[in-house]
Amino acid sequence: MDSLRGPSRSNVVKILREYLEVEWEVKKGSKRSFSKDVMKGSNPKVPQQNNFSDCGVYVLQYVESFFENPILNFELPMNLTNWFPPPRMRTKREEIRNIILKLQEDQSKERKLHKDTCSTEASLNEGLEQQHVSSVSA
């Protein structure tokens, strides 16, 4: 899925095929072909970016769309140009930013809670040790 359509992507498919063959051999200990006869390659039509800086944002949107609205028919040629509404991309960076800030806030709260819990436990242990020392000396 390429949001910045350009020259033919046949070289990308070739590299992916080679990668899969090596990965299979390393993981399975045997050889397997991922040739054109075994696995077709495709460059589906997908919503396109209009600049040179949004490719990562588009990849994230493709992943999100795949989970929200899975592709049910892999028949070629595949046309996903209407997979999600184009205006969705105008707010995508802000959505990602808000998710990151929320995660940061949640982690900060968890750290503070953990720190407070550890501090309370340390104080309790210290008090118990003092009681133990006092009762042993008496």
Side-chain angles (χ1 to χ4, degrees):
M1 296 182 182
D2 186 3
S3 64
L4 190 61
R5 207 165 285 288
S8 171
R9 299 292 182 219
S10 60
N11 196 38
V12 172
V13 174
K14 179 181 175 263
I15 291 168
L16 285 172
R17 288 180 198 287
E18 290 169 1
Y19 167 79
L20 289 172
E21 287 175 359
V22 170
E23 190 70 14
W24 183 277
E25 189 172 351
V26 168
K27 297 276 168 90
K28 302 285 187 176
S30 61
K31 291 193 179 277
R32 179 170 178 184
S33 171
F34 287 91
S35 68
K36 294 175 189 175
D37 300 330
V38 176
M39 186 180 81
K40 292 182 181 179
S42 175
N43 189 7
K45 291 182 179 176
V46 291
Q48 297 292 291
Q49 67 189 71
N50 58 4
N51 58 37
F52 294 98
S53 59
D54 281 344
C55 54
V57 178
Y58 271 78
V59 167
L60 292 173
Q61 182 59 54
Y62 294 159
V63 171
E64 185 177 322
S65 295
F66 185 82
F67 284 107
E68 287 177 346
N69 184 17
I71 300 166
L72 302 175
N73 181 0
F74 285 89
E75 196 172 307
L76 300 178
M78 200 179 306
N79 187 344
L80 302 171
T81 51
N82 296 317
W83 204 12
F84 54 86
R88 177 87 189 257
M89 296 312 297
R90 285 190 216 121
T91 60
K92 196 69 190 169
R93 281 187 191 278
E94 188 173 348
E95 285 177 38
I96 294 167
R97 177 186 175 276
N98 290 339
I99 290 169
I100 292 169
L101 290 174
K102 174 80 170 97
L103 288 171
Q104 180 186 25
E105 181 183 324
D106 292 350
Q107 286 179 346
S108 293
K109 286 178 185 175
E110 285 179 30
R111 282 192 194 121
K112 183 178 181 338
L113 180 64
H114 180 71
K115 185 179 175 184
D116 291 347
T117 303
C118 289
S119 177
T120 302
E121 287 175 2
S123 296
L124 288 173
N125 287 338
E126 191 176 294
L128 290 173
E129 286 175 12
Q130 287 177 356
Q131 287 177 354
H132 179 70
V133 169
S134 298
S135 64
V136 170
S137 0

